[in-house]
Amino acid sequence: MTQQYDTDVLVIGTGPAGATLGLALATYGVKVQLFTQFNWLANSPRAHITNQRAMEVLRDLGVEEQVKEIATPWHEMGESLITTSLVGEEIARMSAWGTGDERYGDYLKGSPCPLVDLIQPKMEALLVKNAGERGAIFNFNTEYLSHQQDEHGVTARFLNKITQTEFSLRAKYLVGMDGARSKVVEQLGLPLEGVMSRAGTVYVTFKADLSRHVQHRPAILQWIVNPEAGFGDIGMGLLRAISPWNEWIMGWGFDISQGEPQVTTEQVQARLDAFVGEHVPDLQIEKISYWYVNQTYATQYSQGRVFCGGDAVHRHPPSSGLGSNTCMQDAFNLAWKLAYAVKGWAKPELLDSYSDERAPVGKQIVARANQSRFDYKYLKDVFGFDQGVKTQAQMLERIFAETEQAAQVRQQLYAALEVKHHEFNAQGVELNQRYESNAVLAEASPEVFTRDVELYLQATTRPGAKIPHTWLVDAKGRKQSTLDITGKGRFTLITGLSGWAWREAAEQLSLEYLDVIQVGTRDYRDVYATWQAKAEIEDNGAILVRPDGYVAWRMQQPNQNTQHVSVLKQVFAQLNLNV
């Protein structure tokens, strides 16, 4: 019996996860429809840090330059200040996101993509625009109600909130990327671990020209040490620049055991004046909201033909800037697998790898984001507000007095700042993700990390790791990253000049989804001699890179008896790909 489908994939949610999935699927030529119960996209700044791995995803999907055009650039993101107020005394300064002298080179070597700062409403709009231009269909004011799945597809019910009429659509697959209150996760009964709403924060979005207060030390994040803001994990107030230096978020913690505070405009004005250090005229309050810290993750991301991703399956605070970045990576991991299943290039079993690969990452980033908040306790100990210090003046005396006791407090301060590198300069957290699944042919020997796995990237071509970035030069003399010559929805077999037998084997198989790159030919030359240092294979070896840039398999050095065609057939079969 021939199945009738309205589309290939239905996506619930148009946030960073859903919009990225829609963009990727449309790019790969898959029919996709996306749904949101709202009449537009994110209505508050929310996420803003876009890390290197997320930028690599955007680069692969062809929108990186568009993002950079409207974002705060990397070099303007770095300074995070700890002060008594915007005009008050500076206690410490952190060089964040790899912009400091000690880490700048690591970030340049690790990726062709710089970080940027772009608020979620602008990022979502850019993703939706490009996805729509490539064929994705968006349905606003449309509420997802429920679904039923069978062995051939999924039928989902929706409510048109304008006409108040219900309708159904049938697709091959359904994806729930509908946020922390996910209906899809609830209906699937996916297992969740952790706690919700363990702490609370007041967020005030406002407009005020604070440029003259920050021009001497500009920073996207300004941490204010204030006795009144000393509550909670962080124990400091926050001023975050949305659009420097006229749009801001002000935040501080509150005691959830006392209920949700009802903050007035007069209280906002008074607190802002305290955070700035003088009266701020012409304050325009956009929104006062109450935000809760979650520490919850799903241990399984799918059931049958229904998949979940983004905040629906990992719920955590914004510390470490991992939220939207991980959401986009969930989508990028899932998109090519759905595309291959839809096109008949892979067996349905390939889709099992999505949950196996991304669920451990979700657990990891929930732990890291919450730990980043817990780690502020070391700074709180320095300030001493929990130890009898009542005023900012007493706090400054405690730290900067010319006494042995103050010297010991300063040593505490330096140690506390060192800990915070695991939040603000954690390139390893962002780029060291490793996958284990049926879409990776793992090697028997365990990987040994030689440096702090959270702070430092360890680039490798081991299966399950992301292909290392380095620069090659093409036939026209242009620099091309190894990330630029792989991906784009296709598998890539990389070998050297001596690996001609791999090229011939691939040509004999003539697979629609496979490209071959011989590094050393006129097309791509290793003129800097950096690929040969990072490849970890001999010139006649081979590396198979997946569409998402992760290594699926490698043979470091074939022997004289290697049957290249047979080897590739066996590899693709083990990866659940159709040959």
Side-chain angles (χ1 to χ4, degrees), residues 467 482 485-486 492-496 502 515-519 531 537 541-545:
I467 184 174
T482 42
I485 64 173
T486 55
T492 307
L493 187 67
I494 302 177
T495 185
W502 294 114
D515 295 326
V516 181
I517 299 290
Q518 270 186 280
V519 176
W531 172 246
I537 62 170
I543 300 169
L544 183 63
V545 183

Side-chain angles (χ1 to χ4, degrees), residues 62 80 105 125 131 180 272 280 316 319 339 364 383 413 423 467 470-471 508 557:
S80 291
L272 179 59
V280 178
H316 56 88
S319 305
Q364 172 198 352
F383 305 145
L413 173 61
E423 176 178 1
I467 184 174
T470 194
W471 294 110
Q508 184 174 331
Q557 186 175 23

